[in-house]
Amino acid sequence: LQRLIAADPASLEAQSHLALLDVREGNAAAWSTLQSLSEVEGAGFFEHYNLATVLQERGDLAGAEAALLRAEHSQPDNPFVLTELGMVALGRAQPAAAVKHLKKAAELMPNEWVPQQLYARALMLSGLPGQAIAVLNQALELHKTVGPLYEDLFKLCMTAGNVGGAERAAIAL
């Protein structure tokens, strides 16, 4: 990254990636750099997304959401942003917002299991256990060896009173 910045000192994206790495190494000055890069006119997707990542890690879910919405403005329907927005909504106890973001993320990335798992959790928190179980069963059709999906399916089935489904999930684990 430093070579890229040396070749193109004006690259906000490269500066943002470097600042993200520096923040994670404990460089306090890099934090203000990361914030400033997201505020620069012409800041793009990664300047906002990298800031959101750090804000989310620090527990500032409102700040993370704001930065993610700016990233989404740069790249509408980016499934990674939608997944992160869903995670932030879950963290803020906003299951309806989480359902909206995670449903779209799961549709855009049908071969990825994490958005589907989170979508199912959001559905369950929204009081829709049947839909949540259906989402997990669909995810398991593609991801038969992913243990966390079976664990969530087991929990959902037990919560919904579906003992047979819970037994099948437990056996598959």
Side-chain angles (χ1 to χ4, degrees):
L1 283 173
Q2 290 182 357
R3 283 187 288 184
L4 177 60
I5 291 173
D8 183 7
S11 172
L12 297 178
E13 182 178 331
Q15 291 176 47
S16 176
H17 289 311
L18 184 59
L20 175 63
L21 293 173
D22 288 345
V23 164
R24 287 187 168 156
E25 290 179 2
N27 181 337
W31 169 242
S32 62
T33 300
L34 195 58
Q35 289 176 306
S36 297
L37 288 168
S38 179
E39 295 169 3
V40 169
E41 186 174 331
F45 175 80
F46 282 108
E47 293 80 27
H48 305 307
Y49 189 82
N50 289 344
L51 175 62
T53 299
V54 173
L55 289 168
Q56 194 170 0
E57 289 170 357
R58 292 179 173 197
D60 181 356
L61 299 181
E65 180 181 39
L68 286 166
L69 289 172
R70 290 191 304 273
E72 183 183 37
H73 182 73
S74 295
Q75 289 187 16
D77 293 335
N78 180 297
F80 298 102
V81 171
L82 292 167
T83 299
E84 294 299 323
L85 281 167
M87 290 172 61
V88 166
L90 286 172
R92 297 181 77 190
Q94 299 170 340
V99 165
K100 177 186 136 200
H101 295 303
L102 293 166
K103 180 179 192 278
K104 182 100 176 189
E107 290 169 353
L108 292 169
M109 293 193 300
N111 293 324
E112 295 292 328
W113 63 270
V114 171
Q116 295 176 37
Q117 179 189 37
L118 294 172
Y119 176 39
R121 288 179 182 176
L123 286 167
M124 184 63 184
L125 290 171
S126 296
L128 302 167
Q131 289 181 24
I133 290 168
V135 166
L136 284 176
N137 280 323
Q138 183 179 7
L140 284 164
E141 288 177 19
L142 291 174
H143 308 285
K144 295 180 184 344
T145 62
V146 178
L149 292 176
Y150 288 105
E151 291 171 14
D152 276 14
L153 182 60
F154 173 80
K155 292 173 190 172
L156 284 171
C157 287
M158 289 300 290
T159 301
N162 182 346
V163 177
E167 287 176 354
R168 286 188 295 281
I171 290 168
L173 273 170

